[in-house]
Amino acid sequence: MRKYGTWIWVSGIVVFMVIAFAFFGSGSAGTGPDAGTGIAAQDPALVAAGDLLYQSNCAECHGPDLRGTDTGPSHLSVVYQPSHHADVAFVLAARNGVPQHHWPYGDMVAVPGLSDDELEAIVAFVRENQRIFGFEPYPP
C-alpha cells in the first residue's frame, strides 16, 4: 500500500511541476521565476525526470521540497550554491556517500543504482529549484 501511496504523491508532484513550467514558460534559458542566483534555467524535461528521481531517492532525507528533514539538510541552503558545491559534488555524494562535515545529521550513505543520466537529471532538478527559490542562510 505504501508503494502505491508514494506513486500517487509523486504523480501529484509531477503534475504540479508540469503546470508550473507551463505557467512560468520555462522553455528557454532565462525564463520563469528567478531568485537572482545566477543559475541558468535547466532543461524542463530533464528537471521533470529529475523530480521523479529525487522524490524516490533523495526526498526521504532532504525533503520533497528540498528543504531538508530531521535526517538531512536542505538543498536550498547557501552551502549548496554552485560556487561551494559544484554539480559533481552531488554526483560524488550519491556515488560514494559523504562524511558529516557541514551538518549534525551524521554521514550520508551512498545511493546505489543511479546512472550518470539519472544523476544529471537529479542535479538539474536541484539547480532549477535553487534558481527559482534562491538560497537559505547557513546555519539555518
Side-chain angles (χ1 to χ4, degrees), residues 5-135:
T6 300
W7 279 109
I8 291 170
W9 188 86
V10 169
S11 297
I13 293 291
V14 170
V15 169
F16 172 78
M17 291 297 291
V18 168
I19 292 169
F21 282 122
F23 180 77
F24 292 115
S26 59
S28 63
T31 62
D34 188 326
T37 62
I39 296 172
Q42 305 295 302
D43 177 322
L46 199 56
V47 171
D51 183 2
L52 289 173
L53 291 161
Y54 184 94
Q55 299 308 327
S56 61
N57 292 281
C58 312
E60 183 176 343
C61 293
H62 295 285
D65 60 359
L66 287 81
R67 296 189 188 280
T69 69
D70 59 352
T71 59
S74 170
H75 278 143
L76 298 180
S77 170
V78 68
V79 168
Y80 294 108
Q81 64 186 331
S83 63
H84 188 72
H85 280 90
D87 293 356
V88 70
F90 290 96
V91 172
L92 293 173
R95 291 245 184 271
N96 307 319
V98 180
Q100 176 180 310
H101 59 288
H102 289 296
W103 311 97
Y105 301 106
D107 297 344
M108 177 184 155
V109 298
V111 181
L114 293 170
S115 70
D116 290 342
D117 288 343
E118 290 171 326
L119 289 167
E120 178 185 6
I122 290 170
V123 172
F125 172 72
V126 170
R127 292 299 188 210
E128 184 66 6
N129 278 274
Q130 290 172 337
R131 182 183 79 80
I132 292 169
F133 298 109
F135 294 103

